[in-house]
Amino acid sequence: MILELDCGNSFIKWRVIDSAQVKTLAGGVVGSDEELVSALRSVPDLALRHCRLVSVRSDEETRALTRQLQDMFGVSSASASPVVEMAGVRNGYSEYQRLGLDRWLAVLGAYHIARKPCLVLDLGTAVTSDLVTGEGEHLGGFICPGMPLMRNQLRTHTRRIRYDDAAAEKALLEMVPGRSTVEAVERGCLLMLRGFVQAQIELAAEHLGDDFEVFLTGGDALLVRDVLPRARVLPDLVFTGLAIACPLH
């Protein structure tokens, strides 16, 4: 069994796949290292042989997690690292080490699947977009706040905006003008998010031509699915890239 981890700023996405790498046996999203260990312990007949991960956390935090996995499950971890070029894709950042590894792996995964120009949109705590030519040249991309950041900024800096996550989810069931604060905020943030995404389509057409593939990933990908009917929604796109960056022999 192989453990794969995507360690973000807010959450850890994990899954256990079989050694043939064709079937997901278990998986989920947790908020801490302790929750990850607890989740893994609940997997029936868990027998990990390998672990590979991508982390945007500090080196110290990442090392602490890999040590814990070694101690608890006897498995060593291979971590994705920045490179200039891999699997036919060339990193487009002027300082290639500064491109977020989760973005880089999503780009690798998308190009591996499409083998043509592609736009990769990752909708999480932050929203990122990346453009790749048919020749595998990464042109760079854009970053903006995602729904969680926009929502939290308004809650933090506006005293009268107070509501819970359940109210936020209910507010997005329709998109008519809001008649309460929660409706106005949630729907307004979603309109901003959709506007950003639609602008990326226009930019991609300008830089990539008309024939390009659109990939959606990240926890909020489904919030914009209806305005991008041609997009491929792949929640595990980063893991596709991780398998390319950290092959297990």
Side-chain angles (χ1 to χ4, degrees), residues 105-128:
L105 295 184
V107 164
L108 283 182
Y111 188 75
H112 173 76
I113 293 168
R115 293 295 173 184
K116 63 188 288 188
C118 41
L119 168 65
V120 183
L121 296 163
D122 189 340
L123 289 83
T125 303
V127 175
T128 64

Short mmCIF file of all heavy atoms in Angstrom, two decimals, residues 105-128:
data_model
loop_
_atom_site.label_atom_id
_atom_site.label_comp_id
_atom_site.label_asym_id
_atom_site.label_seq_id
_atom_site.Cartn_x
_atom_site.Cartn_y
_atom_site.Cartn_z
N LEU A 105 2.80 20.32 -9.37
CA LEU A 105 2.33 18.95 -9.55
C LEU A 105 1.00 18.91 -10.30
O LEU A 105 0.77 17.99 -11.11
CB LEU A 105 2.20 18.26 -8.20
CG LEU A 105 3.51 18.04 -7.43
CD1 LEU A 105 3.25 17.25 -6.17
CD2 LEU A 105 4.56 17.35 -8.29
N ALA A 106 0.14 19.88 -10.04
CA ALA A 106 -1.13 19.93 -10.79
C ALA A 106 -0.85 20.16 -12.27
O ALA A 106 -1.52 19.57 -13.14
CB ALA A 106 -2.03 21.03 -10.22
N VAL A 107 0.12 21.02 -12.57
CA VAL A 107 0.50 21.27 -13.97
C VAL A 107 1.05 19.99 -14.60
O VAL A 107 0.70 19.63 -15.73
CB VAL A 107 1.53 22.42 -14.04
CG1 VAL A 107 2.23 22.44 -15.39
CG2 VAL A 107 0.84 23.75 -13.79
N LEU A 108 1.95 19.30 -13.88
CA LEU A 108 2.50 18.04 -14.39
C LEU A 108 1.39 17.04 -14.68
O LEU A 108 1.38 16.38 -15.73
CB LEU A 108 3.47 17.43 -13.37
CG LEU A 108 4.86 18.02 -13.24
CD1 LEU A 108 5.65 17.22 -12.19
CD2 LEU A 108 5.60 18.03 -14.55
N GLY A 109 0.47 16.91 -13.73
CA GLY A 109 -0.62 15.96 -13.91
C GLY A 109 -1.51 16.30 -15.08
O GLY A 109 -1.89 15.43 -15.87
N ALA A 110 -1.85 17.59 -15.21
CA ALA A 110 -2.73 18.02 -16.30
C ALA A 110 -2.09 17.79 -17.66
O ALA A 110 -2.73 17.27 -18.58
CB ALA A 110 -3.09 19.49 -16.11
N TYR A 111 -0.83 18.17 -17.79
CA TYR A 111 -0.17 18.01 -19.08
C TYR A 111 0.01 16.53 -19.42
O TYR A 111 -0.11 16.13 -20.58
CB TYR A 111 1.18 18.72 -19.08
CG TYR A 111 1.84 18.74 -20.45
CD1 TYR A 111 1.38 19.61 -21.44
CD2 TYR A 111 2.90 17.89 -20.76
CE1 TYR A 111 1.96 19.63 -22.69
CE2 TYR A 111 3.48 17.90 -22.00
CZ TYR A 111 3.01 18.77 -22.97
OH TYR A 111 3.59 18.79 -24.23
N HIS A 112 0.28 15.73 -18.41
CA HIS A 112 0.42 14.28 -18.63
C HIS A 112 -0.88 13.69 -19.17
O HIS A 112 -0.86 12.82 -20.05
CB HIS A 112 0.78 13.61 -17.30
CG HIS A 112 0.79 12.11 -17.36
ND1 HIS A 112 1.80 11.39 -17.95
CD2 HIS A 112 -0.11 11.20 -16.89
CE1 HIS A 112 1.52 10.10 -17.84
NE2 HIS A 112 0.38 9.96 -17.20
N ILE A 113 -2.01 14.17 -18.68
CA ILE A 113 -3.31 13.67 -19.13
C ILE A 113 -3.68 14.23 -20.50
O ILE A 113 -4.14 13.50 -21.38
CB ILE A 113 -4.40 14.04 -18.10
CG1 ILE A 113 -4.17 13.28 -16.78
CG2 ILE A 113 -5.80 13.74 -18.64
CD1 ILE A 113 -5.01 13.79 -15.63
N ALA A 114 -3.48 15.53 -20.69
CA ALA A 114 -3.98 16.20 -21.89
C ALA A 114 -3.05 16.09 -23.09
O ALA A 114 -3.51 15.93 -24.22
CB ALA A 114 -4.24 17.67 -21.57
N ARG A 115 -1.75 16.26 -22.86
CA ARG A 115 -0.77 16.31 -23.95
C ARG A 115 -1.15 17.37 -24.99
O ARG A 115 -1.01 17.18 -26.19
CB ARG A 115 -0.61 14.95 -24.62
CG ARG A 115 0.01 13.90 -23.73
CD ARG A 115 1.44 14.26 -23.37
NE ARG A 115 2.01 13.36 -22.38
CZ ARG A 115 3.23 13.50 -21.84
NH1 ARG A 115 3.97 14.52 -22.22
NH2 ARG A 115 3.67 12.66 -20.95
N LYS A 116 -1.67 18.47 -24.48
CA LYS A 116 -2.05 19.61 -25.33
C LYS A 116 -2.08 20.84 -24.44
O LYS A 116 -1.91 20.73 -23.22
CB LYS A 116 -3.42 19.35 -25.97
CG LYS A 116 -4.56 19.23 -24.96
CD LYS A 116 -5.87 18.79 -25.61
CE LYS A 116 -6.49 19.87 -26.46
NZ LYS A 116 -7.85 19.51 -26.92
N PRO A 117 -2.28 22.04 -24.99
CA PRO A 117 -2.36 23.23 -24.14
C PRO A 117 -3.42 23.06 -23.06
O PRO A 117 -4.49 22.48 -23.30
CB PRO A 117 -2.74 24.34 -25.12
CG PRO A 117 -2.25 23.87 -26.45
CD PRO A 117 -2.43 22.38 -26.43
N CYS A 118 -3.12 23.55 -21.85
CA CYS A 118 -4.10 23.41 -20.78
C CYS A 118 -4.06 24.56 -19.80
O CYS A 118 -3.03 25.21 -19.60
CB CYS A 118 -3.98 22.08 -20.05
SG CYS A 118 -2.35 21.49 -19.68
N LEU A 119 -5.23 24.81 -19.22
CA LEU A 119 -5.43 25.77 -18.15
C LEU A 119 -5.78 24.98 -16.91
O LEU A 119 -6.73 24.19 -16.92
CB LEU A 119 -6.56 26.74 -18.51
CG LEU A 119 -7.08 27.64 -17.38
CD1 LEU A 119 -6.01 28.62 -16.92
CD2 LEU A 119 -8.34 28.39 -17.83
N VAL A 120 -5.00 25.19 -15.84
CA VAL A 120 -5.22 24.45 -14.59
C VAL A 120 -5.69 25.42 -13.52
O VAL A 120 -4.99 26.38 -13.19
CB VAL A 120 -3.92 23.75 -14.13
CG1 VAL A 120 -4.19 22.93 -12.88
CG2 VAL A 120 -3.34 22.89 -15.24
N LEU A 121 -6.86 25.18 -12.98
CA LEU A 121 -7.46 26.03 -11.96
C LEU A 121 -7.62 25.22 -10.68
O LEU A 121 -8.30 24.19 -10.67
CB LEU A 121 -8.82 26.55 -12.42
CG LEU A 121 -8.81 27.46 -13.64
CD1 LEU A 121 -10.20 27.58 -14.24
CD2 LEU A 121 -8.26 28.83 -13.29
N ASP A 122 -6.98 25.69 -9.63
CA ASP A 122 -7.04 25.02 -8.33
C ASP A 122 -7.75 25.94 -7.34
O ASP A 122 -7.24 27.00 -7.00
CB ASP A 122 -5.62 24.70 -7.84
CG ASP A 122 -5.61 23.81 -6.61
OD1 ASP A 122 -6.64 23.74 -5.90
OD2 ASP A 122 -4.57 23.19 -6.33
N LEU A 123 -8.93 25.53 -6.90
CA LEU A 123 -9.77 26.37 -6.05
C LEU A 123 -9.77 25.85 -4.63
O LEU A 123 -10.52 24.93 -4.28
CB LEU A 123 -11.19 26.43 -6.60
CG LEU A 123 -11.36 27.24 -7.90
CD1 LEU A 123 -11.00 26.40 -9.12
CD2 LEU A 123 -12.78 27.75 -8.04
N GLY A 124 -8.89 26.42 -3.81
CA GLY A 124 -8.81 26.04 -2.42
C GLY A 124 -8.84 27.27 -1.55
O GLY A 124 -9.58 28.22 -1.82
N THR A 125 -8.04 27.28 -0.48
CA THR A 125 -7.95 28.46 0.37
C THR A 125 -7.58 29.68 -0.46
O THR A 125 -8.16 30.76 -0.32
CB THR A 125 -6.91 28.24 1.48
OG1 THR A 125 -7.26 27.06 2.21
CG2 THR A 125 -6.86 29.42 2.43
N ALA A 126 -6.59 29.50 -1.32
CA ALA A 126 -6.30 30.47 -2.38
C ALA A 126 -6.72 29.83 -3.70
O ALA A 126 -6.87 28.61 -3.80
CB ALA A 126 -4.82 30.82 -2.39
N VAL A 127 -6.90 30.66 -4.72
CA VAL A 127 -7.22 30.16 -6.06
C VAL A 127 -6.02 30.44 -6.95
O VAL A 127 -5.48 31.54 -6.97
CB VAL A 127 -8.47 30.86 -6.63
CG1 VAL A 127 -8.72 30.42 -8.06
CG2 VAL A 127 -9.68 30.56 -5.77
N THR A 128 -5.58 29.40 -7.66
CA THR A 128 -4.45 29.58 -8.57
C THR A 128 -4.85 29.16 -9.97
O THR A 128 -5.71 28.28 -10.15
CB THR A 128 -3.23 28.74 -8.12
OG1 THR A 128 -3.56 27.35 -8.17
CG2 THR A 128 -2.81 29.12 -6.70
#
